[in-house]
Amino acid sequence: MNISVVIPLFNEEESLPELCAWIQKVMDENGFSYEIILVDDGSSDGSWPVIEQLSIAYSCIKGIKFQRNYGKSAALNEGFKAAKGEVVITMDADLQDSPDEIPELRKMIAEDGYDMVSGWKKKRYDSTLTKNIPSKFFNAVTRRMSKIPLHDFNCGLKAYKNKVIKSIEVYGEMHRYIPVLAKWAGFKKIGEKIVEHRPRKYGVTKFGWERFINGFLDLASIMFVGRFGKRPMHFFGSWGTACFFIGLLLSIYLIISKFVDPEYALTNRPAFFLALTLLLLGSQLFLVGFMGELIARNSPERNSYLVEKKLGI
Ligand code: UDP
Ligand code: MG
């Protein structure tokens, strides 16, 4: 099978028939073999009955329904598990992403050798203040921290080699950082394609301004977990040791100066409080690193790495 299209959706009943018809039109024009996986993230409207009808009418349309609303990341993750196509394309269900981009995205993965290609909504049709400006800032920070040169990390329209999506787990709200997850998993060829963006035709947006706060917290944790998740002691231990060591030097200095001038009260000196704080902070950090090491050691994924090739085994 050439292409799997994975579509997470939450209360998008009006858009689905139009979206599926459009995707089918593009696929048939290009002669691709394909499947459309609609993941209903616990919709409370008529989305699931619509999916049932669509899947009866077309065998290439498949559905997954969640018991309740778990979020876009969970929906993508479940869709990824089911996807069988060589190229996997994700898009939003609200008709803001255009299926006309599919042939070019597929070509970049299947022929130009990209591991993943992210859409870039260069001209955006969302309200400027609440989305576009924070999103520019958000993308700039993510770009700097992850060193992946993308303009639009959170674009719903993306394409992947099948093995990329089978190698990553999208949890929490990490759908914003799939390029970062892919990079940590060792996939280096990450490309970008300017895609057409359209105004939302039906329904309402499912994400408010909280997305930016949560987004930055997620970025902090993803960068930390990616670098130190399997060796927390290297992070906490080094800072802890540095703090403790400086505190120790200060204490030695204070003790010596007490011998030199026994009249001078230690508790009147700022260095005393600094030394105390550093010693305590240092040992705390060290302990946190130690606890982290114990947790990492007990994690079933402590040895999760990807073997790319084997010879004679
Ligand atoms: N979505 C989802 N679960 C959620 C929220 C959103 O599956 O909890 C889907 C939604 O139906 C849409 C896509 O994720 O297909 C993007 O959401 P939306 O269009 O609301 O985001 P925006 O375009 O406003 O950033
Ligand atoms: Mg949208």
Side-chain angles (χ1 to χ4, degrees), residues 280-294:
L280 282 175
L281 193 68
S283 34
Q284 292 276 5
L285 281 171
F286 203 85
L287 274 177
V288 170
F290 193 61
M291 301 289 281
E293 252 347 282
L294 287 179

Side-chain angles (χ1 to χ4, degrees), residues 93-150:
D94 53 0
L95 292 165
Q96 289 196 275
D97 301 326
S98 160
D100 290 337
E101 308 282 355
I102 292 176
E104 183 59 25
L105 286 171
R106 191 205 76 92
K107 182 179 161 287
M108 289 177 80
I109 300 287
E111 290 166 31
D112 305 344
Y114 283 99
D115 291 319
M116 83 169 273
V117 177
S118 181
W120 173 13
K121 307 176 289 258
K122 197 166 182 186
K123 174 115 188 61
R124 257 186 104 159
Y125 291 91
D126 284 316
S127 54
T128 317
L129 260 184
T130 52
K131 282 211 171 147
N132 296 4
I133 294 171
S135 144
K136 283 223 166 70
F137 178 65
F138 165 87
N139 279 305
V141 175
T142 312
R143 197 158 51 232
R144 266 193 79 94
M145 286 186 68
S146 65
K147 304 202 172 65
I148 303 172
L150 292 182

Side-chain angles (χ1 to χ4, degrees), residues 234-254:
H234 287 187
F235 177 81
F236 293 107
S238 49
W239 284 104
T241 313
C243 286
F244 194 86
F245 189 67
I246 300 171
L248 196 67
L249 287 182
L250 271 176
S251 313
I252 293 172
Y253 158 76
L254 287 168

